[in-house]
Amino acid sequence: MHHLIIQCTCLLVIILFVVMLAQKIKIAYPILLVLVGLPLGFVPFLKGIEIQPDLIFVIFLPPLLYEAAWYTSWKDFWKWRRVISSFAFLIVVLTSCVIAFVSHSLIPGFTLALGFLLGGIISPPDAVSASAILKNVKVPKRFVSIVEGESLLNDASSLVVFRFALAAVITGKFALGEATLSFVLVIVMGVVIGLLVALIFYAVHRWLPTTANIDIILTFITPYVMYMAAEEFHFSGVLAVVSGGLFLSSQKHVILSYRSRLQGVNVWEAVAFVLNGFVFILIGLEFPVIIKDLGPDGLSTAITYSLIITGVLILTRLASTFGASIFTVFISKYITTADPNPGWKGPLMLGWAGMRGVVSLAAALSIPELLPSGAAFPQRNMILFITFSVIMVTLVVQGLTLPLVVRLVNMPDPDFTVSAEQQRQMVRKKLSKLALQLLDDKYANHLANNNMIKALQLRLSADMELLKDWEKDCSEQRADKFYHDYRMIMDDVMAQQRQLLLTLNKKENISDEIIRHQLELLDLEEEKFRQHFEIG
């Protein structure tokens, strides 16, 4: 245990430095973590650290899914629900079928059931890597919404396919009608259980005397309860976490206090960052484990099969995205769709954003080594190597070239004709206008007698004057210069205020608790300032 803790600490330090390097050279950190993990897998000190499927599915997956669901826009999710559902379910099933028949035809001794097993493993794209890559490029909001929404659901559908295919390989039997009914039942009941658990936690947050710390701990417990409750009854734990997470997220301003929301955001960001870092570097560390049983001859053959199947996988996703676009144009004649003419640019970007991740590798590693009869599980080493290769090729090749594809396509945002900066100023102006009107109409007496209320009115009026500057000249270059000067001066003011507080803290007649409280308020003010002027 002591050795394992030291190993994990070393890995965490490596992850931090790799992420800093990725930010420096402007490469998505999942790609760099996987590449760094490859040689680390051969370092003797780090040997023995392997991906445990149960660890991924039970410890890592629930909080990562919950965090993604918590910050997913329900408005965008519902707007693009048809596209997201088709990508997460229909395209996953279609991809599994294509991979099943291709691998069955390509690899000697590879049965159709093994093909479906492989298809279920490698069919779901990973959104963490796509989101990390897309942060560095400017893409339409709808594109990000569809990619993130798809990733919330596709793990569930692919793991259900994997579960039925694994049962078919082990038992040698497969009934299509029974499997279809079970597929629907697993999905529906997973959603139902997730919502039921979410309602219980909703009641706890809403009506019990919780504090910010208790609320945050409860948010960590929630995804595990959802996942394990669904899996206990052999339903989809993934969909339980996603559905419950989306519901609670939509109610967070009702069930959580402002302090719980502020502290929870910071805690969850740090935890999700560490978990994602570990899972991506663990992919690279698995390389020696994957190749150890193949042998030199088997390795060259496995590489050939892997490259062919990876190519088929990429082409299938591209064909599916363009097919979905064509179908949308057709069906828009009969029903109302979010976009009746998607064109080719969006489908191309969506098709190329098909990087695979750790869920695929964890599923492959969860394949038992032996059948119930005691015989070795057929083609297990080949499935593991193909899965690893698909993850590596899609992450590195598609991940590194996705920003280039986005820039070449150069798709304008069809949903927001007003820039993000203008949207932000418009919202802030409406908020200030509402507050000023409320003060004039409802609290006129207070304005005449209360200097604090007068100061509030002056501050809101100053905000309104500040926002008028944008209306005078919508030049982004001028706005950037204006905000740069404002940020520079405010940074200096807050730095000087912080230094004054630290100086005052040395005086014996001023309480350390008072100074600490003022420093916290200053930190909050700085965070508010940066949120106002650095998001866009």
Side-chain angles (χ1 to χ4, degrees), residues 172 228 342 361 395 470 486 493:
M228 289 186 286
L361 190 56
L395 260 180
W470 178 269
Y486 186 78
V493 169

Side-chain angles (χ1 to χ4, degrees), residues 174-487:
F174 181 77
L176 181 61
E178 181 182 345
T180 303
L181 180 62
S182 298
F183 185 89
V184 174
L185 187 64
V186 164
I187 289 173
V188 172
M189 290 307 298
V191 173
V192 170
I193 290 176
L195 292 175
L196 288 175
V197 173
L199 286 172
I200 294 172
F201 279 93
Y202 174 92
V204 172
H205 284 291
R206 182 77 186 274
W207 291 299
L208 292 184
T210 61
T211 63
N213 288 333
I214 293 174
D215 280 332
I216 293 170
I217 297 301
L218 285 173
T219 60
F220 279 103
I221 296 172
T222 303
Y224 291 109
V225 175
M226 291 172 176
Y227 185 86
M228 289 186 286
E231 290 293 325
E232 182 67 24
F233 295 100
H234 306 291
F235 300 128
S236 174
V238 171
L239 279 178
V241 175
V242 170
S243 58
L246 285 172
F247 171 76
L248 289 175
S249 172
S250 68
Q251 301 297 315
K252 62 187 174 187
H253 291 283
V254 176
I255 62 176
L256 298 178
S257 66
Y258 76 94
R259 189 179 294 274
S260 298
R261 293 193 297 270
L262 282 173
Q263 293 182 8
V265 165
N266 296 326
V267 172
W268 267 100
E269 281 185 355
V271 170
F273 168 75
V274 171
L275 292 178
N276 280 316
F278 267 110
V279 295
F280 279 106
I281 203 166
L282 284 173
I283 292 175
L285 287 172
E286 284 298 306
F287 185 58
V289 180
I290 300 294
I291 65 172
K292 66 179 181 180
D293 295 324
L294 285 173
D297 295 333
L299 181 60
S300 60
T301 305
I303 290 173
T304 303
Y305 294 151
S306 298
L307 292 176
I308 294 173
I309 289 175
T310 303
V312 170
L313 191 71
I314 293 172
L315 291 175
T316 301
R317 180 171 175 83
L318 285 168
S320 298
T321 56
F322 280 105
S325 177
I326 294 170
F327 179 76
T328 300
V329 173
F330 168 75
I331 204 67
S332 295
K333 298 175 182 177
Y334 306 99
I335 63 172
T336 302
T337 58
D339 184 0
N341 186 24
W344 63 271
K345 294 182 176 181
L348 177 60
M349 291 190 294
L350 283 171
W352 201 248
M355 290 74 72
R356 270 54 180 179
V358 72
V359 171
S360 294
L361 190 56
L365 288 166
S366 68
I367 298 173
E369 295 184 3
L370 299 175
L371 294 172
S373 62
F377 195 97
Q379 303 285 356
R380 184 178 187 272
N381 293 330
M382 183 63 71
I383 292 173
L384 283 172
F385 186 83
I386 291 173
T387 302
F388 180 84
S389 301
V390 165
I391 294 170
M392 286 299 300
V393 173
T394 55
L395 260 180
V396 176
V397 176
Q398 288 185 290
L400 289 176
T401 56
L402 180 59
L404 177 63
V405 171
V406 170
R407 283 192 288 269
L408 289 175
V409 167
N410 191 26
M411 180 180 178
D413 195 329
D415 301 309
F416 298 105
T417 54
V418 178
S419 71
E421 184 62 42
Q422 288 173 307
Q423 292 176 55
R424 183 175 63 186
Q425 304 307 330
M426 179 182 66
V427 170
R428 289 184 58 207
K429 185 177 178 180
K430 287 182 179 294
L431 289 172
S432 297
K433 186 176 181 180
L434 170 66
L436 284 170
Q437 185 176 347
L438 191 63
L439 290 176
D440 290 335
D441 296 346
K442 192 174 180 180
Y443 299 106
N445 291 335
H446 293 78
L447 278 172
N449 303 310
N450 191 323
N451 287 329
M452 293 182 69
I453 304 299
K454 287 181 183 178
L456 174 61
Q457 185 188 43
L458 288 173
R459 182 171 65 81
L460 292 169
S461 299
D463 280 347
M464 290 290 287
E465 290 299 318
L466 181 72
L467 296 171
K468 285 180 182 177
D469 213 76
W470 178 269
E471 296 174 353
K472 292 176 185 176
D473 186 353
C474 290
S475 165
E476 288 194 18
Q477 185 176 0
R478 183 179 185 276
D480 288 344
K481 175 66 169 60
F482 177 81
Y483 288 127
H484 174 269
D485 294 343
Y486 186 78
R487 282 194 296 265

Side-chain angles (χ1 to χ4, degrees), residues 492-506 515 519 522:
D492 188 34
V493 169
M494 286 186 284
Q496 294 297 328
Q497 287 178 324
R498 193 172 281 111
Q499 186 59 48
L500 174 61
L501 286 170
L502 294 174
T503 303
L504 290 174
N505 196 34
K506 296 176 183 178
I515 297 296
L519 285 168
L522 194 57

Side-chain angles (χ1 to χ4, degrees), residues 24-316:
K24 183 70 175 177
I25 62 178
K26 299 190 182 304
I27 290 180
Y29 74 87
I31 300 172
L32 208 56
L33 282 172
V34 171
L35 292 176
V36 168
L38 284 174
L40 289 180
F42 294 97
V43 176
F45 175 73
L46 295 175
K47 283 187 176 179
I49 299 181
E50 298 179 6
I51 291 182
Q52 301 296 328
D54 291 340
L55 194 69
I56 296 296
F57 288 135
V58 179
I59 296 180
F60 282 73
L61 195 56
L64 289 176
L65 284 170
Y66 192 73
E67 193 260 350
W70 192 264
Y71 295 109
T72 294
S73 166
W74 176 250
K75 180 175 70 173
D76 292 336
F77 187 89
W78 183 253
K79 180 179 180 180
W80 302 106
R81 62 191 182 279
R82 294 191 182 96
V83 178
I84 290 171
S85 298
S86 65
F87 274 65
F89 295 105
L90 295 177
I91 292 182
V92 165
V93 173
L94 174 63
T95 303
S96 299
C97 293
V98 172
I99 295 299
F101 284 101
V102 169
S103 57
H104 172 59
S105 305
L106 179 67
I107 305 172
F110 216 83
T111 65
L112 204 55
L114 287 171
F116 275 104
L117 185 67
L118 177 61
I121 290 170
I122 63 176
S123 55
D126 176 77
V128 175
S129 50
S131 298
I133 293 165
L134 293 174
K135 285 180 181 178
N136 298 323
V137 291
K138 187 176 181 180
V139 293
K141 182 68 169 62
R142 63 169 63 180
F143 178 68
V144 179
S145 300
I146 293 171
V147 169
E148 292 179 348
E150 171 196 6
S151 70
L152 287 175
L153 305 177
N154 59 20
D155 288 339
S157 54
S158 65
L159 290 175
V160 171
V161 172
F162 168 79
R163 184 184 299 177
F164 286 120
L166 184 62
V169 174
I170 292 174
T171 63
K173 299 176 182 178
F174 181 77
L176 181 61
E178 181 182 345
T180 303
L181 180 62
S182 298
F183 185 89
V184 174
L185 187 64
V186 164
I187 289 173
V188 172
M189 290 307 298
V191 173
V192 170
I193 290 176
L195 292 175
L196 288 175
V197 173
L199 286 172
I200 294 172
F201 279 93
Y202 174 92
V204 172
H205 284 291
R206 182 77 186 274
W207 291 299
L208 292 184
T210 61
T211 63
N213 288 333
I214 293 174
D215 280 332
I216 293 170
I217 297 301
L218 285 173
T219 60
F220 279 103
I221 296 172
T222 303
Y224 291 109
V225 175
M226 291 172 176
Y227 185 86
M228 289 186 286
E231 290 293 325
E232 182 67 24
F233 295 100
H234 306 291
F235 300 128
S236 174
V238 171
L239 279 178
V241 175
V242 170
S243 58
L246 285 172
F247 171 76
L248 289 175
S249 172
S250 68
Q251 301 297 315
K252 62 187 174 187
H253 291 283
V254 176
I255 62 176
L256 298 178
S257 66
Y258 76 94
R259 189 179 294 274
S260 298
R261 293 193 297 270
L262 282 173
Q263 293 182 8
V265 165
N266 296 326
V267 172
W268 267 100
E269 281 185 355
V271 170
F273 168 75
V274 171
L275 292 178
N276 280 316
F278 267 110
V279 295
F280 279 106
I281 203 166
L282 284 173
I283 292 175
L285 287 172
E286 284 298 306
F287 185 58
V289 180
I290 300 294
I291 65 172
K292 66 179 181 180
D293 295 324
L294 285 173
D297 295 333
L299 181 60
S300 60
T301 305
I303 290 173
T304 303
Y305 294 151
S306 298
L307 292 176
I308 294 173
I309 289 175
T310 303
V312 170
L313 191 71
I314 293 172
L315 291 175
T316 301

